[in-house]
Amino acid sequence: MTHVTELEHPIVSHKLAILRDENTSSPDFRKTLMELGNIMSWPVFSHLNVTPTQVKTPMEHTTQSVLVKPYPCIVSILRAGNGMADAFSASLPEAPIGYIGMQRDSDTHIAEPYFKKLPDQIEERQIILVDPMLATGSSASQAAGFLKKDGARKILFVCLVAAPEGIEYFHQQHADIPIITAALDRKLDENAYILPGLGDAGDRIYGTE
Ligand code: URA
């Protein structure tokens, strides 16, 4: 099963070039991430389930598709995921937002959980799990594991940049979860940062470098 989609689009590439540029300031990085997230949200949301409903316009009755309830939810992997979650939420404010806190051990590069807060009916909702960087795949994989433990059945993982190592690891753990990314990058360096990547996404979003 093909499970990785790279969103190829001139504007996606243009915005990504701004994010990759080391000279892009933190305010510009945040602004561009919001713009890119908005653009990415449309192809991602094309996977959402709809059902026909009856609507009475001022002119006549008609049938129109609406999102299935309970509404899909966005789940952000803290903290860098919040930049993407904000952008996705701007396109779909109906979607509640859950948070999973994961922190990477700087020696082992293994992500450890420290926080989880999810919307109710998680087992019924389509879930869009977001984290800008799929590096080792450890955080995304653990976060997806938490969601499944809570009963989640329909998950999509969305990132900005994915490394082959992260894709392979994530796929081994969660072959059922499609990955949608703005870019497929070359590899990880010895500190598990993505090459060419864009550096530390959390630091660049929040200006904490
Ligand atoms: N997390 C980041 O923010 N950047 C990387 O390159 C890898 C993990």
Side-chain angles (χ1 to χ4, degrees):
M1 146 184 172
T2 310
H3 76 298
V4 184
T5 306
E6 185 181 19
L7 297 176
E8 291 180 72
H9 190 286
I11 306 297
V12 169
S13 177
H14 180 82
K15 301 285 177 195
L16 202 50
I18 298 171
L19 294 177
R20 287 193 195 274
D21 188 338
E22 64 175 0
N23 293 315
T24 300
S25 68
S26 180
D28 286 343
F29 192 95
R30 265 203 304 278
K31 175 174 165 288
T32 306
L33 177 56
M34 190 74 182
E35 292 162 355
L36 179 52
N38 283 151
I39 293 161
M40 290 178 72
S41 70
W42 291 97
V44 169
F45 289 155
S46 72
H47 293 267
L48 297 181
N49 297 330
V50 290
T51 185
T53 193
Q54 293 300 310
V55 179
K56 184 173 180 303
T57 77
M59 311 306 290
E60 61 178 18
H61 288 271
T62 188
T63 305
Q64 186 71 51
S65 290
V66 293
L67 289 173
V68 169
K69 284 187 177 167
Y71 286 140
C73 73
I74 299 158
V75 175
S76 165
I77 301 178
L78 296 174
R79 71 185 159 144
N82 284 8
M84 293 186 81
D86 288 348
F88 277 60
S89 169
S91 300
L92 186 62
E94 291 89 340
I97 307 176
Y99 295 94
I100 297 179
M102 310 282 309
Q103 182 134 33
R104 231 173 34 147
D105 184 292
S106 53
D107 295 327
T108 64
H109 310 307
I110 294 171
E112 294 291 341
Y114 65 88
F115 180 77
K116 181 177 72 140
K117 184 81 187 168
L118 300 174
D120 66 357
Q121 293 180 276
I122 202 75
E123 64 286 353
E124 301 301 327
R125 298 180 190 271
Q126 283 184 282
I127 299 169
I128 295 152
L129 178 63
V130 295
D131 192 2
M133 311 302 280
L134 184 63
T136 62
S138 168
S139 309
S141 222
Q142 285 213 48
F146 286 145
L147 290 168
K148 286 181 176 173
K149 223 166 164 182
D150 281 3
R153 290 174 292 126
K154 293 162 276 184
I155 307 172
L156 269 177
F157 178 72
V158 185
C159 59
L160 287 184
V161 180
E165 295 90 334
I167 291 172
E168 194 186 333
Y169 182 75
F170 189 84
H171 186 52
Q172 280 166 8
Q173 311 292 318
H174 303 288
D176 57 311
I177 302 182
I179 299 170
I180 301 177
T181 182
L184 294 169
D185 271 14
R186 204 171 77 252
K187 64 169 192 157
L188 297 182
D189 74 1
E190 61 284 5
N191 296 313
Y193 275 82
I194 300 176
L195 299 175
L198 47 75
D200 188 303
D203 281 344
R204 298 203 62 196
I205 295 168
Y206 296 110
T208 49
E209 262 169 306

